[in-house]
Amino acid sequence: MTEKPSLWISRKLPSAVIHRAEQSFHVLQFGDDVPRSAERIIEMSAKADGFLACNSEKFTAEVAARLDPRLKIIANYSVGYDHCDVPALTAQGLTVTNTPEVLSEATAETAMLLLLGAARRAVEGDKMVRTGQWDSWSPSFMVGKQVSGARLSIVGMGRIGQVMARMARGFGMEVHYYNRNRLSPEKEQGAIYHNSVEALLPFADFLSLHCPATAETTNLMNDDRFALMPNGSVLVNTARGAVVDEGALMAALDSGKLAAAGLDVFQVEPGGNSELSAYDNVFMLPHIGSATFETRDAMGFRALDNLEAFFRGEEPGDKVT
Ligand code: DGY
């Protein structure tokens, strides 16, 4: 019987995922659950044939250059892989994979939660009731922005963007989008295509970002682009913090260009932005877009599908380049 490949699982994962991993791999894990340092990653590369890693592990070019040749594959437990220098890793002969599709519903749910919460002043309302400051009611009290019938603009109409569009249609929203490639009519489902972000933004009563963080999308939402949005609009970001210039976001909130924002991701994570925390019209979550029990299992199973395919000598379905 051939020996099972060794797999290092960098963080605590659901027990169903670990149980399945143990069928195919000799699993290596630590008892604690903390982000792993570059030194730890390098140490484990000499002990494992594969990694099942998270976005808390940073695979920079410097780390890639020091990895032991024993390590053959990094199967990420995430759809985003901006924590990996993929060209540097592939130059070392490593295969890198992600977990698309399985987290689209959960992430779009979070985007919808943020959209509704930002529009209807959830932070202010919750704080008022919770602190015993709710002492009156009037027709002008806590009036927010109506979602139903408004225009939702989506940047990045991949799988998550398409699920967001489907959910938004359930609220009677008119969906507009920008994507590098226009979708087929079956996938568009009536959504209105714009051939640039600039052309899209004037239609963004609500703007939801679903594009990856790349060199091209860094600070995509800057002063100039916020200026193109309708006055009193709402920004939702469940993509990556790098896509929004947080200084420009605060300026847009200060000027009233934006009525509110809903953010699950920040330029600095973990931690967020203490200046943004001063805004009651910013509804914030700590990067939990995909954090449902069902999705956490599915992400692990998808990563294992990739690992098992790789060690069978096949091309993993979710190889990234
Ligand atoms: C993802 O899958 O990219 C989520 O943001 C968690 O890292």
Side-chain angles (χ1 to χ4, degrees):
M1 202 176 87
T2 51
E3 215 174 297
K4 290 177 184 173
S6 284
L7 175 68
W8 179 45
I9 301 183
S10 66
R11 303 297 302 267
K12 184 174 189 294
L13 296 188
S15 52
V17 174
I18 301 298
H19 181 72
R20 184 176 140 187
E22 284 169 346
Q23 313 304 306
S24 311
F25 300 101
H26 172 60
V27 172
L28 306 173
Q29 269 195 299
F30 294 103
D32 57 355
D33 185 24
V34 294
R36 306 301 174 184
S37 66
E39 292 312 315
R40 180 66 93 187
I41 290 169
I42 290 153
E43 172 204 329
M44 293 311 293
S45 69
K47 298 181 179 167
D49 307 298
F51 281 178
L52 204 173
C54 294
N55 70 357
S56 48
E57 282 70 61
K58 309 298 178 204
F59 294 96
T60 60
E62 294 71 36
V63 169
R66 294 177 56 205
L67 291 172
D68 191 279
R70 174 171 183 170
L71 180 69
K72 297 291 184 294
I73 176 169
I74 299 169
N76 285 298
Y77 185 87
S78 61
V79 66
Y81 48 89
D82 48 307
H83 58 289
C84 293
D85 188 325
V86 177
L89 292 164
T90 48
Q92 299 290 336
L94 278 149
T95 295
V96 182
T97 63
N98 69 342
T99 57
E101 289 166 11
V102 292
L103 41 66
S104 306
E105 300 285 333
T107 306
E109 278 178 13
T110 302
M112 192 47 84
L113 166 68
L114 289 168
L115 186 152
L116 290 165
R120 300 301 301 273
R121 304 172 64 171
V123 174
E124 283 171 86
D126 179 83
K127 200 175 183 182
M128 195 180 293
V129 180
R130 197 177 289 275
T131 59
Q133 289 170 37
W134 178 29
D135 58 3
S136 70
W137 185 91
S138 77
S140 59
F141 173 66
M142 284 284 297
V143 177
K145 188 174 170 76
Q146 182 141 323
V147 169
S148 306
R151 298 169 300 181
L152 169 66
S153 289
I154 295 177
V155 175
M157 198 65 149
R159 300 173 187 93
I160 301 171
Q162 288 173 44
V163 177
M164 180 66 177
R166 190 191 76 216
M167 291 181 181
R169 282 195 297 275
F171 279 87
M173 301 186 87
E174 178 180 290
V175 180
H176 295 247
Y177 76 100
Y178 164 74
N179 197 49
R180 271 175 307 174
N181 302 308
R182 185 172 180 170
L183 302 186
S184 64
E186 298 72 53
K187 287 187 172 168
E188 270 184 353
Q189 291 287 315
I192 300 159
Y193 176 67
H194 299 264
N195 63 7
S196 68
V197 175
E198 286 72 16
L200 174 76
L201 290 174
F203 299 87
D205 298 327
F206 292 85
L207 176 68
S208 194
L209 303 175
H210 297 285
C211 54
T214 62
E216 295 80 57
T217 62
T218 300
N219 288 332
L220 177 89
M221 289 311 299
N222 57 18
D223 287 321
D224 291 346
R225 293 207 177 93
F226 279 122
L228 297 173
M229 294 175 69
N231 292 334
S233 49
V234 172
L235 169 78
V236 173
N237 189 9
T238 53
R240 283 291 184 265
V243 176
V244 174
D245 174 339
E246 290 176 353
L249 167 59
M250 287 186 275
L253 290 163
D254 291 340
S255 71
K257 172 56 76 176
L258 287 184
L263 307 173
D264 185 46
V265 287
F266 298 85
Q267 298 236 338
V268 175
E269 293 186 13
N273 180 328
S274 59
E275 279 185 77
L276 271 171
S277 307
Y279 289 77
D280 275 351
N281 53 349
V282 181
F283 182 16
M284 297 184 285
L285 296 172
H287 199 148
I288 54 166
S290 55
T292 67
F293 295 111
E294 293 80 356
T295 298
R296 289 289 185 243
D297 279 355
M299 291 166 73
F301 297 150
R302 185 85 176 212
L304 289 172
D305 289 345
N306 288 315
L307 286 158
E308 288 166 2
F310 178 84
F311 286 107
R312 279 196 305 268
E314 297 164 14
E315 170 109 338
D318 303 318
K319 181 172 172 175
V320 299
T321 50

